[in-house]
Amino acid sequence: MIHDPTPDQDETRDSDEAKGSEAADAAGTLRHRRIRSFVTRAGRVSTGQRRALDEFGPRFVVPYAPQPLDWDAAFGRQAPRVLEIGFGMGGTTAEIASARPADDFLGIEVHEPGVGALLKLIGEQELTNIRVVQHDAVEVLEHMIAADSLDGVHIYFPDPWHKARHHKRRLIQPKFVALLVSRLKPGGYLHLATDWQNYAEQMLEVLSAEPALENSAGSDYAQRPDYRPVTKFERRGLKLGHGVWDLVFKRR
Ligand SMILES: C[S@@+](CC[C@H](N)C(=O)[O-])C[C@H]1O[C@@H](n2cnc3c(N)ncnc32)[C@H](O)[C@@H]1O
């Protein structure tokens, strides 16, 4: 896991949030302060990642823009569309895209070293079916992804925000799930995975309560689908006796 917040960052956020979700700026106007699921960190970009950003960024990074993305133009073909949110260092993204060459994958990640790492994999493996947006996934979904347009959504090991007072930062909440569902085609799938039991329970509860979704595994967690590889991080957790929960729901 690359994105666990430090206690110091936690405290900064708490004091920020204490000021409320709206704040008056210098001009006296009100602006909304959205509670985000990530903390922006500088993060060190390695030489290899920098090289990949420079070499492959122009071809594979799609700049954020508040208008619907033309997937066919971005990928140069028409193919099933899968969105991945928070791909981290992109190892899983690259592996899945390589195993599913007939599908197109749009990966969203805010952390620059992760974007560089995935671009490096794209270059090394000559993958052509991945594009990357470096921006908040909530805004990408709201503005760049058309309604009823996605065949699938992957969200693997989203930040669990362990402390109860930070649970409001968790990505998987009713409002966000409703947004996701609105972007899925009827029959499209939503695949989540987590190694944090309390978050798994929240995921199952929130997804089960969304009327437009149907659980592919009855009322339970799903078996890990074959296309999702076991990540390095996950393997380490499994060795330590941690559980892993997959959820696969379909839009009705
Ligand atoms: C715990 S990591 C998991 C990474 C990867 N999926 C894995 O399984 O190794 C969660 C990732 O989600 C990213 N993230 C969190 N909220 C996000 C958001 N709103 N938009 C884009 N990325 C986000 C973080 O930067 C972080 O890299």
Side-chain angles (χ1 to χ4, degrees):
M1 187 169 303
I2 63 164
H3 205 260
D4 223 12
T6 64
D8 286 344
Q9 286 170 321
D10 281 1
E11 298 320 320
T12 311
R13 268 193 309 276
D14 278 353
S15 68
D16 277 356
E17 282 165 22
K19 291 173 197 153
S21 59
E22 287 182 333
D25 64 19
T29 50
L30 278 179
R31 64 194 158 84
H32 289 277
R33 196 179 282 177
R34 196 202 287 266
I35 295 172
R36 296 194 187 276
S37 59
F38 60 92
V39 184
T40 314
R41 297 171 300 144
R44 207 186 83 79
V45 177
S46 73
T47 313
Q49 290 162 358
R50 173 58 56 207
R51 201 177 301 127
L53 284 161
D54 292 342
E55 190 176 346
F56 302 112
R59 176 159 172 218
F60 295 101
V61 173
V62 178
Y64 170 77
Q67 59 198 43
L69 172 68
D70 181 343
W71 283 64
D72 294 354
F75 287 88
R77 66 171 183 173
Q78 203 167 21
R81 300 166 175 180
V82 180
L83 186 79
E84 181 178 359
I85 296 175
F87 58 71
M89 301 309 271
T92 298
T93 317
E95 210 168 314
I96 294 177
S98 165
R100 291 170 49 176
D103 296 335
D104 285 338
F105 296 86
L106 184 69
I108 311 176
E109 176 54 64
V110 285
H111 192 51
E112 191 172 29
V115 172
L118 178 54
L119 289 172
K120 193 161 174 282
L121 294 172
I122 290 173
E124 285 165 0
Q125 299 175 30
E126 299 183 359
L127 298 169
T128 57
N129 58 338
I130 300 177
R131 297 293 180 273
V132 175
V133 182
Q134 187 181 350
H135 198 79
D136 179 2
V138 178
E139 291 182 8
V140 173
L141 272 164
E142 282 174 343
H143 303 296
M144 290 185 83
I145 307 297
D148 308 329
S149 68
L150 299 174
D151 293 273
V153 173
H154 297 169
I155 310 179
Y156 300 144
F157 306 96
D159 298 293
W161 293 100
H162 302 108
K163 294 177 185 164
R165 70 177 191 278
H166 292 142
H167 284 183
K168 55 184 175 283
R169 288 187 170 272
R170 287 179 170 175
L171 211 43
I172 306 305
Q173 317 244 7
K175 219 172 129 190
F176 180 68
V177 169
L179 174 64
L180 280 175
V181 167
S182 73
R183 281 10 187 199
L184 278 174
K185 286 180 186 164
Y189 71 91
L190 173 57
H191 179 187
L192 310 181
T194 182
D195 65 331
W196 191 251
Q197 184 166 6
N198 171 270
Y199 200 8
E201 287 163 4
Q202 177 171 335
M203 288 175 173
L204 189 59
E205 192 180 316
V206 172
L207 266 53
S208 301
E210 168 52 60
L213 287 177
E214 187 174 2
N215 190 342
S216 70
S219 55
D220 208 348
Y221 299 102
Q223 295 286 336
R224 177 176 60 83
D226 289 342
Y227 62 78
R228 186 177 76 72
V230 177
T231 65
K232 203 157 76 180
F233 158 76
E234 186 177 354
R235 206 166 286 127
R236 197 182 56 198
L238 288 169
K239 268 194 199 147
L240 292 168
H242 298 175
V244 172
W245 295 267
D246 281 77
L247 298 92
V248 182
F249 279 63
K250 288 204 164 160
R251 181 173 167 188
R252 294 182 201 276

